[in-house]
């Protein structure tokens, strides 16, 4: 397998996120009128600049998904069933339980963390899988499945886990946690459906006009820069609105970071070792593990902002997602390569 390296932006993404947080807090502290300026650029509860930024954030990964390779995952139906179970049953339930257990005294942050758990990864998992020398075709096939499943079921999952489950357990007294399926579906269409349509059109339109090689080698790398740029823009704006909480910020981040970190570690290690015990080879075990452990924090941020508002703690909690996921998943890449040698007796290519 050809060696895959992180780009400068991807390699130091955690640093850029941290700097964006610092800049955003400083901006909000020095210019408290930022909230009024951003609020004036809204239609109802929707901030136009943030909506544009979030849609642009989702567009590149959805354009780069190799939907045409979805059929390859059917070569091993047992592994496909295991992966879908980990992604769409085990993963959401694990994050829900962690959030309820560790954040029940902070219900708004609890909801934000649950939203992250419901959003299955469709972007960065490709990078982690490549770095860990996983099965590329299986990974892109699973990512394509997750993209389609997300469009079909994310709204339903929000209704089940937040509107029904949290209210049934009585954990959200005094907090807005009633999301109608219609409202959720509308939000998912705006922030996932629109970039999905644009991405598919860009991908296959480029294939027809300029060829696949041009898209993958020329256009895709260029539009990829939109995702981190839009993510950092969103973080700056959201933390500028939370400038008054600068003293409380470390405590809030740590509280949200604990269930997120536990989630990434539990999902990755459990999935990897079950795959190993099932006799799955290293490349496939790695692809399935990173797919199960990663999350689409871009979608979680977009949905939290759209439904609960840009000023909400729910949205604030989702922004912590990439701050935690990036360093944890990079660490798991190194763990995977160690297991490749220790468990499978293979030497890494890097």
């Amino acid at each position: 397998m050809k060696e895959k390296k992180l780009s400068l932006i991807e390699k130091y993404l955690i640093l850029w996120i941290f700097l964006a947080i610092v800049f955003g807090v400083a901006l909000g502290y020095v210019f408290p009128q930022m909230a009024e300026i951003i609020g004036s650029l809204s239609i109802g509860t929707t901030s136009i600049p943030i909506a544009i930024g979030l849609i642009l954030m989702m567009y590149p990964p959805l354009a780069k998904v190799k939907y045409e390779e979805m059929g390859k995952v059917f070569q091993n139906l047992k592994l496909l069933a295991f992966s879908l179970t980990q992604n769409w049953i085990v993963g959401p339930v694990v994050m829900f339980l962690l959030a309820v257990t560790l954040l029940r005294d902070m219900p708004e942050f609890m909801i934000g963390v649950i939203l992250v758990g419901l959003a299955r990864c469709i972007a960065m998992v490709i990078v982690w899988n490549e770095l860990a020398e996983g099965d590329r075709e299986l990974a892109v096939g699973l990512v394509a499945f997750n993209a389609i499943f997300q469009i079909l079921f994310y709204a339903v999952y929000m209704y089940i886990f937040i509107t029904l489950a949290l209210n049934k357990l009585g954990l959200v007294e005094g907090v807005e946690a009633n999301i109608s399926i219609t409202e959720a579906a509308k939000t998912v269409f705006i922030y996932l459906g629109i970039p999905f349509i644009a991405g598919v059109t860009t991908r296959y339109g480029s294939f027809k006009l300029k060829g696949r090689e041009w898209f993958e080698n020329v256009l895709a790398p260029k539009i990829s820069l939109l995702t981190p740029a839009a993510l950092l823009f969103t973080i700056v704006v959201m933390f500028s609105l939370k400038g008054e909480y600068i003293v409380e910020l470390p405590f809030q981040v740590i509280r949200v970071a604990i269930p997120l970190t536990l989630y990434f570690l539990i999902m990755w290690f459990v999935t990897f070792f079950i795959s190993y015990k099932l006799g799955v080879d290293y490349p496939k075990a790695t692809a399935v593990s990173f797919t199960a452990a990663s999350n689409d924090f871009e979608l979680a941020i977009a949905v939290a902002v759209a439904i609960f508002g840009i000023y909400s703690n729910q949205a604030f909690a989702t922004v912590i997602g990439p701050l935690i996921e990036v360093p944890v998943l990079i660490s798991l890449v190194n763990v995977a390569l160690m297991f490749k040698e220790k468990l499978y007796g293979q030497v890494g290519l890097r």
Side-chain angles (χ1 to χ4, degrees), residues 111-188:
I111 292 172
V113 169
I114 291 172
L115 285 174
V116 174
L118 301 181
R120 313 314 302 165
C121 192
I122 60 172
M124 288 298 289
V125 66
I126 300 295
V127 177
W128 311 136
N129 181 70
E130 287 283 295
L131 288 172
E133 299 169 7
D135 188 307
R136 181 181 302 157
E137 288 71 28
L138 177 61
V140 297
L142 292 175
V143 163
F145 256 91
N146 279 344
I148 301 300
F149 270 58
Q150 214 142 248
I151 292 171
L152 296 175
F153 300 118
Y154 192 72
V156 177
Y157 268 52
M158 282 194 290
Y159 180 75
I160 292 172
F161 281 90
I162 296 176
T163 300
L164 295 183
L166 290 183
N167 282 288
K168 184 71 173 178
L169 294 172
L171 297 172
V172 285
E173 291 185 14
V175 175
E176 176 58 41
N178 292 306
I179 304 174
S180 71
I181 291 183
T182 301
E183 181 184 16
K186 181 178 71 174
T187 301
V188 170

